[in-house]
Amino acid sequence: MNNETTNNVGGIAADRLRSIIERVERLEDERKALGSDIRDVFTEAKSAGFDVKVIKQLLKLRKQEPAEVEEQETILDAYRRALGI
């Protein structure tokens, strides 16, 4: 069996495909590890007396553009006033 046959099966570059699959698998493993690390940080925050739900809201807000945050707060305020809250 020659090298070209090993690397190209049915028009598919087998080595390239294997490389891509293995990279995705490594990244998925890293994502699992990071998820565990994030949960640990939230546990630490909770044990320090912080409200984890509020921290998650703050993280979400920090990802948004300031104008978008301001618009949402304005709408939320209007809805609260309409409901008498």
Side-chain angles (χ1 to χ4, degrees):
M1 185 177 271
N2 68 27
N3 197 26
E4 186 173 319
T5 305
T6 303
N7 293 333
N8 192 339
V9 179
I12 298 172
D15 290 341
R16 179 79 172 134
L17 177 59
R18 185 175 297 106
S19 171
I20 289 169
I21 297 295
E22 289 170 354
R23 285 172 41 209
V24 170
E25 288 172 338
R26 279 192 303 273
L27 290 169
E28 287 177 345
D29 288 343
E30 289 177 26
R31 180 172 43 192
K32 285 180 193 174
L34 288 173
S36 176
D37 292 347
I38 291 170
R39 282 189 298 278
D40 291 346
V41 172
F42 283 129
T43 300
E44 177 185 338
K46 185 175 182 177
S47 68
F50 293 105
D51 187 318
V52 173
K53 285 192 329 186
V54 174
I55 289 174
K56 289 180 180 183
Q57 289 175 336
L58 289 170
L59 290 168
K60 183 179 175 183
L61 287 172
R62 287 171 54 100
K63 291 178 186 177
Q64 295 176 328
E65 293 294 322
E68 185 180 350
V69 172
E70 185 177 338
E71 178 183 354
Q72 287 179 358
E73 288 176 351
T74 300
I75 294 169
L76 180 60
D77 184 51
Y79 287 4
R80 282 181 176 155
R81 283 185 278 129
L83 295 173
I85 299 175

